[in-house]
Amino acid sequence: MAEVTDREVEVFLASGPLKGLITTRHERLSDHLANSDDTFLLKNAKLTADPARGGGTASATAVVYKRSVVLIVDVGSAGHRSALDAQLLRVEREPHRVLVGAGALLVRGEIHLTKGANLETVGWAQSRFIPLTHATFADRPDATPATF
C-alpha cells in the first residue's frame, strides 16, 4: 500500500492563488486529481489576494471544486523528482515542448506522451488535468521549473 503524504500545491482559481496541502497516496499529483470526485480538500489553505483588495484569508481546510481550477502547481515536486522519474520510465514516453493557455495564464513546459503519439491525436477532452513538467510561466522564464 502506498504511503500517504501531504503535497504542497498552489491552486489558481479565478478568485486568486490558493496555497495549501493535498493529502494523497499517489506519487503523481495528476493521478490524485484524475479520480472521479468533483472536489478535493486543501489543508492549511491560504488565499493571497491583491493587497489593494484587502489582503488574503486562511482556513484549516478548503473544499475546492475541480471545475473552478485554472491551474495547479505542484510546489513540492522538486523533492519527489527522482521517484517520479523512475515511475515515468515504466511506460516509454516522449516529451513534447508546449505552450499551454490556462485562463489568463500562459505556461511553457513538457507534456509526456506515449511513444508514437502526437499532440494532434491525443484525447484532450477525456482529461480534466494535463500534467506539465519542467514548466514555467511564459512571462517569467527565469523562474525555477516545476510540475504543473
Side-chain angles (χ1 to χ4, degrees):
M1 184 178 263
E3 179 182 337
V4 176
T5 59
D6 286 336
R7 301 285 292 274
E8 185 181 1
V9 296
E10 187 167 6
V11 180
F12 288 83
L13 307 167
S15 55
L18 186 62
K19 290 184 178 182
L21 301 170
I22 289 180
T23 301
T24 183
R25 294 182 190 281
H26 299 282
E27 282 288 325
R28 298 184 326 172
L29 183 60
S30 58
D31 291 339
H32 178 81
L33 296 170
N35 71 34
S36 60
D37 297 338
D38 291 333
T39 62
F40 61 89
L41 297 179
L42 202 58
K43 297 188 310 188
N44 302 329
K46 296 178 186 92
L47 178 66
T48 307
D50 182 354
R53 293 174 47 197
T57 188
S59 177
T61 305
V63 177
V64 179
Y65 287 88
K66 289 181 180 177
R67 291 184 184 271
S68 66
V69 173
V70 175
L71 181 76
I72 297 180
V73 178
D74 187 355
V75 178
S77 66
H80 294 26
R81 202 146 312 218
S82 61
L84 277 172
D85 289 343
Q87 185 166 348
L88 288 174
L89 289 175
R90 281 193 242 162
V91 175
E92 197 167 343
R93 297 180 182 269
E94 296 175 330
H96 295 263
R97 194 86 177 136
V98 295
L99 181 65
V100 176
L105 305 171
L106 280 176
V107 180
R108 188 178 313 277
E110 293 178 354
I111 291 177
H112 299 263
L113 303 177
T114 54
K115 192 170 179 120
N118 64 55
L119 293 171
E120 291 81 22
T121 61
V122 172
W124 297 110
Q126 297 172 0
S127 180
R128 173 82 173 109
F129 293 98
I130 301 166
L132 195 63
T133 62
H134 304 106
T136 58
F137 290 104
D139 62 345
R140 292 185 254 160
D142 296 335
T144 303
T147 298
F148 287 38

